[in-house]
Amino acid sequence: MAEQTEIRTTERAPAPPPAPPAKPGSAVIRDALGVGIAVGLSGFAFGVTSAGAGLGLLQTCALSLLVFTGASQFALVGALAAGGNPFTAAAGAFFLGARNAFYGLRLSAVLGYRARVRPFAAHWVIDETSAVALAQPDRRSARLGFTVTGLTLYVLWNLTTLVGALGAGALGDTDAWGLDAAGPAVFLALLAPMVKDTVERVAAGLAVVLVMVTLPLLPTGVPVLVAALAAPAVLLAQGLRERATGAEATPRAGTAAPHASRDQAAALRTTTEEDRA
């Protein structure tokens, strides 16, 4: 009887990807200071806008000290300046700032602060500190970036808020200066370098088109919500396109690899003949 030799093939598990190199602390501090200074200076615009909306100096400074979410602060004073109900304005600002809670869920695992430090760190959980922290390759760099960004931004934001509120009277008509656009302009300047691939450019372009089309037609604030639909719309279109491309590249059942089927049948006949020998 012919001797049969069993050949076993072992597949090695793929090697884990190499860990990202540690980022120098000086580079983290430089990036964090750049973001903190750039955004912190726009607190001047909030101080002027808040004073122009009729809020007092203490009220304006208290908002920056205790709330410390630029978009929510601008939304609150903007609604008050337009004659909105204070409770409605506060509710809108609250729900706008509630997004920071989702940042906190992610950052709690990344930063790993102890329980007694988390309440203080939570006050600095905003768009900019989250972006800087999540962009770092390791926990040490994430903590450093978060701390430097938060400290720089908090100090500058409150100082420039005070200066803006004090100097609002010297500026005269604050609407003529267009300072309410300073905050969004800073966010766009920070966001622009991050838009790199085609999908991100298409989503950004579609969002701009949606805002421009709906701005004259819908109430204030609604065009921004409509523009937020650009991202899921583009991602859905990309997924459908990839699925269609994958379906075209995958052969139909029953037509795949006829040569492979013949080779398998030949191998089966050879094995049977060897068993009979």
Side-chain angles (χ1 to χ4, degrees), residues 28 40 44 64 83 106 116 119 129 155 159 168 173 184 193 224 234 238 246 257 260 262 274:
V28 178
F44 176 81
S64 287
R106 180 70 179 94
R116 63 175 178 269
T129 55
V155 172
L159 287 177
D173 184 10
V224 177
V234 172
Q238 181 192 23
R262 289 196 294 268
E274 291 179 354

Side-chain angles (χ1 to χ4, degrees), residues 28 31-32 35 127-136 141-142 144-146 149:
V28 178
D31 296 342
V35 173
D127 298 339
E128 293 77 18
T129 55
S130 301
V132 172
L134 295 176
Q136 306 309 319
S141 300
L144 180 61
F146 179 86
T149 306

